[in-house]
Amino acid sequence: MNKSVFITGGAGFIGSRLVEKLQRENYGRFFVYDNLHPQVHGPDAVFPKFGSDVTCIKGQIEDAAALEQALQDCDPDIVIHFVSETGTGQSLDELDRYVAANVTGTSNLLTAIGNLPKRQRDFLLSSSRSIYGEGPYADAQGQRSRPQARNADRMKSGDFRVFDRAGNPLTALPAVPDTRAIPSSVYASTKLMQENLLLNCAEAKNLRPKILRFQNVYGPGQSLRNPYTGVLSIFGAQIMAGKTLNIFEDGEMVRDFVFVTDVVDACAAAIATDHAIDAPLNIGSGEATTILEAAKILLKELGGAPDNYKITGDFRLGDIRHASTDIEPTKQAIDWMPKVTLEQGLHQLAEWTKAELTVSV
């Protein structure tokens, strides 16, 4: 295709796979901009061996001058923005870091694009299901109702349900693109700001925005050392270490776990779409799974005792009780649908985890 593609975070879990997929599809020339953060990549990390058509640049998204120079060298036809500090709890403790990377970094990127030669460019932004907060709920009459933040005293008593303003329990619904965004963490707020910045600047900077809101992405290659990468990789490492899994709340927290290759395929499909995508798209499996269900499958796959878990009632204020999505609007907007079932994906994750953590004597 002879296109120039600039991808921030291109050395990461999802980004590196997307680069490899687009290489196979002969897109053209790639510029990967990544800081190889030790929390994500480990100490002494190096870039993947992509090949001669990929230029790797180690740099901070917060460094406006370095970022602009990289963009000037690339003059991209396509911009893919994956760089993001990730972690709901950590974002509250390190607010400045998250705002600097996620908000100021995105502003730096958009500003630098505005200084390039004027022409239309595609801009793919990886966003997050976290922007929905508790997401959509319905009352007893089936009408949509805004959920209230869960109360610490009620949760301490073992009641983890979600209620409306009048104290009536609500039933969770899957999120759709027009679900109101009510971020409940600093991280989620920064992701929503990334979306807003892109949409605010798109017309003036000749960008065709394509915003994808990822559900809980998992799979081989996900960091086993980073406590903020996802519950499944954390569980895998704990099972291999012989630890008893601590299942928060009552184990009935719901997530939509989507396999990494399905996410990469969605990104590629969105990039291939030759027009702007009108609304952010939810990228998930379309299946709601409880944390306890996922833990039991992993225990089986990794050879752990089937009862080697404890439902402790522990909780974190701000955690989401129910997060799932309706992917039908996404399937209609782009040529994509998920292919990997949870059982297939957890089998692959387990095999990779065993290979990574088994020490030969």
Side-chain angles (χ1 to χ4, degrees):
M1 296 184 188
N2 199 31
K3 291 183 179 292
S4 179
V5 183
F6 188 88
I7 176 167
T8 73
F13 173 51
I14 304 171
S16 60
R17 284 173 167 79
L18 180 58
V19 171
E20 291 166 353
K21 180 177 179 62
L22 298 181
Q23 282 181 292
R24 293 192 296 270
E25 296 177 0
N26 298 314
Y27 261 74
R29 181 83 184 155
F30 301 87
F31 289 73
V32 168
Y33 190 91
D34 201 301
N35 69 356
L36 300 180
H37 198 293
Q39 179 176 301
V40 177
H41 298 274
D44 305 317
V46 296
F47 283 99
K49 295 180 179 179
F50 289 119
S52 59
D53 57 343
V54 180
T55 299
C56 294
I57 306 161
K58 186 175 181 179
Q60 302 285 345
I61 197 75
E62 302 93 329
D63 187 339
L67 182 61
E68 176 149 10
Q69 184 60 60
L71 278 160
Q72 291 288 340
D73 293 342
C74 175
D75 190 14
D77 302 296
I78 300 168
V79 177
I80 302 168
H81 188 28
F82 279 117
V83 162
S84 182
E85 296 288 359
T86 304
T88 55
Q90 188 183 51
S91 70
L92 181 60
D93 296 330
E94 301 185 40
L95 191 151
D96 288 349
R97 171 184 165 192
Y98 274 69
V99 171
N102 298 357
V103 180
T104 303
T106 302
S107 172
N108 290 342
L109 181 59
L110 291 166
T111 298
I113 290 171
N115 294 330
L116 295 173
K118 303 300 181 186
R119 68 172 185 277
Q120 191 171 66
R121 295 176 172 87
D122 286 331
F123 192 117
L124 176 72
L125 173 66
S126 67
S127 188
S128 169
R129 57 91 183 163
S130 66
I131 68 148
Y132 295 123
E134 274 295 349
Y137 277 76
D139 61 20
Q141 288 72 45
Q143 300 298 310
R144 288 208 173 195
S145 178
R146 180 174 177 178
Q148 298 300 294
R150 292 190 289 167
N151 177 273
D153 289 337
R154 192 189 294 270
M155 295 173 76
K156 286 177 183 176
S157 73
D159 187 350
F160 303 107
R161 293 176 296 170
V162 176
F163 296 84
D164 65 14
R165 192 169 296 161
N168 301 307
L170 299 173
T171 300
L173 300 172
V176 293
D178 64 354
T179 296
R180 183 178 177 184
I182 311 176
S184 59
S185 69
V186 171
Y187 166 68
S189 294
T190 64
K191 295 304 290 184
L192 182 58
M193 181 59 77
Q194 287 183 330
E195 292 188 14
N196 290 338
L197 288 171
L198 173 56
L199 295 175
N200 292 156
C201 295
E203 184 175 359
K205 298 183 185 297
N206 295 309
L207 297 174
R208 294 195 297 192
K210 300 175 180 183
I211 299 172
L212 305 184
R213 292 172 176 167
F214 299 160
Q215 294 286 314
N216 286 64
V217 187
Y218 74 100
Q222 192 168 29
S223 175
L224 297 172
R225 67 180 68 85
N226 182 1
Y228 302 102
T229 53
V231 66
L232 297 184
S233 61
I234 294 170
F235 280 173
Q238 290 176 342
I239 293 168
M240 289 296 293
K243 296 180 179 179
T244 300
L245 299 183
N246 179 358
I247 308 296
F248 275 30
E249 300 189 14
D250 55 0
E252 297 302 310
M253 297 169 72
V254 167
R255 297 293 182 264
D256 182 330
F257 295 108
V258 57
F259 197 66
V260 62
T261 56
D262 285 333
V263 173
V264 169
D265 288 347
C267 292
I271 292 166
T273 303
D274 62 0
H275 54 77
I277 297 174
D278 293 336
L281 300 178
N282 291 313
I283 306 300
S285 68
E287 300 293 331
T289 303
T290 69
I291 297 296
L292 181 57
E293 288 170 340
K296 287 180 176 179
I297 296 172
L298 263 182
L299 282 164
K300 180 180 179 181
E301 289 287 347
L302 287 169
D307 60 350
N308 194 25
Y309 65 86
K310 184 177 181 181
I311 299 174
T312 63
D314 291 347
F315 64 89
R316 286 183 294 253
L317 281 177
D319 270 359
I320 304 306
R321 177 68 174 173
H322 187 284
S324 68
T325 188
D326 179 356
I327 59 173
E328 286 305 315
T330 303
K331 288 156 59 175
Q332 294 172 18
I334 58 176
D335 183 18
W336 170 83
M337 66 181 299
K339 301 173 183 176
V340 181
T341 67
L342 182 65
E343 290 75 13
Q344 292 169 339
L346 289 181
H347 176 74
Q348 293 187 49
L349 176 63
E351 291 300 303
W352 176 80
T353 302
K354 286 187 283 189
E356 285 291 302
L357 296 182
T358 299
V359 178
S360 299
V361 178

